Amino acid sequence: MKQKKFGLAAAGLLAAGLLSGCGSDEAGGKTAAEGEKTYQIGVTQIVEHPSLDAALEGFKKALEDKGLEVDYDVQIAQGDQNNNQAIANNFAGDGVDLIFANSTPSAYGALNATKDIPIVFTSVTDPVGAELVASMEEPGENITGTTDTHPDAIPNTVKFMAEQMEGKTVGVIYNSGEQNSNAQIDLVKKAMEGTDLKLEEATVSASSEVKQAAESLVGKADMIYIITDNTVVSALESVIQTANDNDIPLFVGELDSVERGGFAAYGFDYEDIGYEAGEMAAEILEGEKKPSELPVQYPQNLKLLINKKAAEEMNIGLKEEWNSLAEFTE
């Protein structure tokens, strides 16, 4: 928070405030009557979609479980990079106690805005490749967080496609302007080495282009794989509709997208990585650790989730052997 200047004339008001049990906190947060600090956290999020929203809820829950009092200023950039940077700049100017950056672009904007205010991120696929952190073990002076890349998620998905599905061409839709997405596509290509699968790429720059990109894959792709691309996931329903109408199996990158109507994903709960990021934020706010002392964390739990209703919509026959490999939802 911005510091308020008090003149001599304010002395009486200050004394009255002290007598009534209220005061101001020089570090930026407010102080409750019993002396408990209320921290100011700026939340920057590139778009709204269920996975990012779940990560934010997990973050808040961790701080609540730690008993911290927090005022949140939640700002959504609506996919606009200019808005994204402006949000981060405003938080830096306000002198918030901590910035929670929910996505790769959000974290990048926050780091551009400040090298002093602690930044905790989540929903970031490749923190090192995005040059957000120096390394996973030693992230940097004022930034750390949790990644949404489990080392086995993409390789396991590609293996399932190669061994369990008919067809050889996998269509992908992604925003080539997102470093997060380019890193994942590279992992998909690497995982396909040694298999009979081949990739058919369709790129977009905005969510309004996703429907057309999905339709462009009809007749070219035997399967579609939507990675954790914020632009595409925010418009996932248009891909689901295309997959349903044309009987194309739709693999997705997170469990929330399975619940929305994707066929299957190796994934984890985004609320969990948000919660883990919140635990890191609590350590920083309470002075127990500096961001530089907290290594970037990977997701802890990975599972295969299959949507039975989506399988029916896409005309996919469920195999009995999948019962031992996956959990199911409808």
Side-chain angles (χ1 to χ4, degrees), residues 154-180:
I154 287 176
N156 283 0
T157 302
V158 171
K159 181 180 180 182
F160 189 93
M161 291 175 178
E163 297 180 356
Q164 300 291 336
M165 305 297 293
E166 297 179 2
K168 300 301 179 186
T169 303
V170 180
V172 292
I173 308 170
Y174 67 101
N175 184 345
S176 58
E178 281 199 28
Q179 191 280 337
N180 164 58

Side-chain angles (χ1 to χ4, degrees), residues 103-185:
S103 77
T104 299
S106 304
Y108 194 74
L111 194 58
N112 276 340
T114 179
K115 296 297 187 290
D116 300 313
I117 296 172
I119 301 166
V120 175
F121 61 74
T122 196
S123 312
V124 171
T125 297
D126 185 10
V128 177
E131 299 182 349
L132 293 171
V133 300
S135 71
M136 301 292 278
E137 295 76 21
E138 298 179 356
E141 287 302 312
N142 72 316
I143 187 168
T144 189
T146 59
T147 174
D148 64 359
T149 298
H150 192 290
D152 297 329
I154 287 176
N156 283 0
T157 302
V158 171
K159 181 180 180 182
F160 189 93
M161 291 175 178
E163 297 180 356
Q164 300 291 336
M165 305 297 293
E166 297 179 2
K168 300 301 179 186
T169 303
V170 180
V172 292
I173 308 170
Y174 67 101
N175 184 345
S176 58
E178 281 199 28
Q179 191 280 337
N180 164 58
S181 300
N182 291 319
Q184 290 182 80
I185 294 300

Side-chain angles (χ1 to χ4, degrees), residues 77-94:
Q78 304 301 341
D80 187 294
Q81 294 299 337
N82 290 328
N83 289 345
N84 181 58
Q85 191 60 59
I87 289 167
N89 291 343
N90 288 338
F91 287 154
D94 290 342

Side-chain angles (χ1 to χ4, degrees), residues 1 28-29 38-46 56 59-60 63 69-77 84 86-103 106-107 109-111 113-114 117-122 142 144 277-278 281 285:
M1 295 177 66
T38 299
Y39 295 97
Q40 310 299 314
I41 294 182
V43 176
T44 173
Q45 183 171 311
I46 190 65
L56 175 55
F59 180 83
K60 289 180 176 180
L63 290 166
E69 294 291 330
V70 178
D71 278 346
Y72 295 97
D73 184 357
V74 179
Q75 299 290 329
I76 311 297
N84 181 58
I87 289 167
N89 291 343
N90 288 338
F91 287 154
D94 290 342
V96 295
D97 294 303
L98 182 140
I99 296 175
F100 175 52
N102 195 7
S103 77
S106 304
L111 194 58
T114 179
I117 296 172
I119 301 166
V120 175
F121 61 74
T122 196
N142 72 316
T144 189
L285 290 170

Side-chain angles (χ1 to χ4, degrees), residues 194-230:
T195 74
D196 293 330
L197 298 176
K198 63 179 182 178
L199 208 61
E200 181 71 32
E201 300 179 38
T203 60
V204 299
S205 59
S207 58
S208 59
E209 301 171 6
V210 172
K211 184 176 188 295
Q212 183 177 355
E215 291 172 345
S216 75
L217 294 174
V218 176
K220 298 178 182 178
D222 303 310
M223 298 167 273
I224 296 176
Y225 183 18
I226 302 301
I227 55 175
T228 59
D229 180 291
N230 292 307

Side-chain angles (χ1 to χ4, degrees), residues 1-60:
M1 295 177 66
K2 296 179 180 177
Q3 295 290 336
K4 296 181 179 179
K5 296 181 180 179
F6 291 93
L8 293 175
L13 290 174
L14 178 59
L18 290 172
L19 288 172
S20 63
C22 300
S24 66
D25 181 0
E26 293 179 359
K30 296 179 293 184
T31 303
E34 67 276 14
E36 184 176 4
K37 178 173 180 176
T38 299
Y39 295 97
Q40 310 299 314
I41 294 182
V43 176
T44 173
Q45 183 171 311
I46 190 65
V47 292
E48 289 180 293
H49 64 64
S51 294
L52 294 184
D53 296 343
L56 175 55
E57 290 308 307
F59 180 83
K60 289 180 176 180

